[in-house]
Amino acid sequence: MSLEERRNLYLRIDQMIRLCMPGGAQYLARRLNVSRSTFFRYLDEMKAMGAPICFDEQRRCYYYSEPGNFAFGYLKKHELSNCELISTSAGFDIIKYEPFLNKLSYA
């Protein structure tokens, strides 16, 4: 899988989590066109990068236990000064900065 494909998959998972898309792991894996075990591996990778991912048994959806989401790519120095950089791994930065996150576009 190319870096671009992996980036897009993380962004799709991030969007599903932010929307608290119901259905559990099997349903979400099917939506992503990956196996259930692959879906769990990606969740584990996101957690290893600092994402506070939880599962709500009652609503049957994943959610973040604190605000934030993923941002990829190069950030200029003045943008970093306004961010709380949580973790960096393989070029993926987890950032908590709501005004910046609101400007992100997901293709």
Side-chain angles (χ1 to χ4, degrees):
M1 177 179 289
S2 75
L3 183 59
E4 182 68 18
E5 291 169 330
R6 193 173 190 85
R7 174 193 162 278
N8 288 336
L9 187 62
Y10 280 124
L11 290 176
R12 287 182 63 202
I13 294 171
D14 172 62
Q15 184 177 34
M16 290 175 165
I17 293 170
R18 285 184 294 107
L19 295 173
C20 197
M21 187 176 283
Q26 186 65 40
Y27 175 76
L28 297 179
R30 224 176 305 126
R31 295 281 309 244
L32 294 166
N33 215 15
V34 298
S35 70
R36 185 173 181 266
S37 60
T38 298
F39 174 75
F40 281 125
R41 188 173 66 244
Y42 285 121
L43 281 185
D44 288 342
E45 288 173 5
M46 292 171 76
K47 288 177 182 179
M49 289 187 268
I53 300 170
C54 301
F55 186 74
D56 185 328
E57 292 286 342
Q58 191 171 15
R59 294 183 352 190
R60 301 222 13 94
C61 69
Y62 290 90
Y63 67 96
Y64 290 120
S65 61
E66 53 187 275
N69 62 355
F70 287 89
F72 299 88
Y74 184 78
L75 293 176
K76 296 177 184 169
K77 188 175 181 178
H78 74 275
E79 292 171 331
L80 282 175
S81 66
N82 294 323
C83 300
E84 180 185 347
L85 187 59
I86 303 301
S87 176
T88 302
S89 176
F92 302 124
D93 297 336
I94 301 168
I95 296 173
K96 291 170 72 174
Y97 178 61
E98 288 302 321
F100 175 72
L101 296 175
N102 293 334
K103 294 178 185 176
L104 293 177
S105 65
Y106 295 93

